[in-house]
Amino acid sequence: MCIRDRLNKGLSIELFDSDVEHSINEQIAHDPDLGVLELKRIDVLLKNPLKKFYMKYHGVIEPTIYPAWGCHGDLYIIRAETLWYPFTVSCRTVFWGLLYGYHDKALILFKIGKLTPVASLDVVSEDNGEIVFGGENIYQPIEFIIGPFKREVYAGDKQLFVYTLNKPSYTSAELYKHLDNVERAYEELYSVKSPHNQYHLVFLKETGGFHAGSMIVLDEKYIKTSKGLTLNLVHEFSHIWWAGKIKLCSPDSTWLMEAIPEYITTRIGGILGILEYTKQVKEVVNKAKSILRSGRYRPPTTIPMPMNEYSESIWRVVGPSIFYEVGNVIGYESLDHILSVFMEESLSSNKPYCLTWKTLRRMLYNLDERVSQILNRYGV
């Protein structure tokens, strides 16, 4: 039996707590989802199968995606059968990491003292500051944030847990209403329902937004208005599918993780009446054409992470612009239908659903020959 673990390059296994005879091999390898990040791959070879074990990790955290993220210092964490991408927002108070479960069962034990955990996985037990998270058949990302959070709970048709470091800008009831509107608009446009019956909504500063599992993290500076809150919720909600349920399984596909959510945000923003859709599309397409004419342009399919500010603008401007232009040719309803098919298939899959740009590109090509002109113009 082999347990394969992938984690930050700075961390190593310090303790494998089991009576089963085993050996541990480590090597640097590319991550299995994006294919562009270097991670430490650890294989634990077991002589006999086992149902439960603990691995203790220790080391110096190395920033993996953005140099501004990551805190150099010792980190101890006990957990089992997970993938850990550690980053920190504040070394003293907050850290967050992306966890992955590839096996049938996972059990994660945090010793976190008085700090508040936020997680997209249910708490199994809590005793004297030790919080145990567990679950079965975990194939989706599991997000953990730990810090001195204030927590509110709102119980509607679904439960909403709201975590803030400061005085909240919105009540939990207001946030629930916004999230409910986003869910309804998504279902109307794409005929898919969210797989989650509860959400963890977390507000931080200077982090940007991100998502995993039932957790949505928003940067406070982008949600000062009701419009900003809704648009950011739509974008992060889109990641339930894009780079969530739907894995982008080749290096030339990673740009889709932002291009498609940006496109969807504009579509739903128009449906909800908080964006002038035609005006927004025109502005983004004009920006994309300006970038295309610049001598620094690179096709988004050739831009890996980490990115600088200019290459990120290609992802976030040129990427959605390609979908706007394709939608204008084949009809936005047809493009939305194609996206909804992938989303529906990912929901019915028990394992990570894989999509590559090659597959999506071929489908778009077959709909209208004018699509090929658009994609060729942008070099994708």
Side-chain angles (χ1 to χ4, degrees), residues 318-339:
V318 173
S321 179
I322 291 171
F323 284 90
Y324 296 147
E325 292 195 51
V326 170
N328 190 47
V329 167
I330 68 174
Y332 291 109
E333 293 79 7
S334 296
L335 180 53
D336 289 334
H337 175 70
I338 291 173
L339 299 181

Side-chain angles (χ1 to χ4, degrees), residues 2-6 27 40-45 55 57 81-83 100 102-103:
C2 176
I3 298 169
R4 174 161 293 174
D5 206 11
R6 296 179 175 90
Q27 68 180 72
K40 182 173 288 185
R41 193 183 82 186
I42 298 180
D43 291 333
V44 181
L45 303 175
M55 290 187 288
Y57 296 91
E81 302 181 12
T82 55
L83 167 60
Y100 239 124
Y102 279 112
H103 305 279

Side-chain angles (χ1 to χ4, degrees), residues 192 246 340-351 353:
V192 291
I246 301 171
S340 71
V341 168
F342 291 119
M343 293 156 72
E344 289 172 1
E345 289 179 353
S346 72
L347 289 176
S348 61
S349 175
N350 291 324
K351 293 185 178 181
Y353 182 87

Side-chain angles (χ1 to χ4, degrees), residues 67-80:
W69 292 353
C71 175
H72 293 273
D74 290 345
L75 170 68
Y76 287 88
I77 179 171
I78 300 174
R79 62 182 180 75

Side-chain angles (χ1 to χ4, degrees), residues 279-293:
K279 180 181 178 182
Q280 175 74 11
V281 168
K282 185 177 180 180
E283 288 179 356
V284 174
V285 170
N286 285 339
K287 286 181 183 178
K289 289 180 178 178
S290 177
I291 292 174
L292 189 61
R293 289 192 296 267

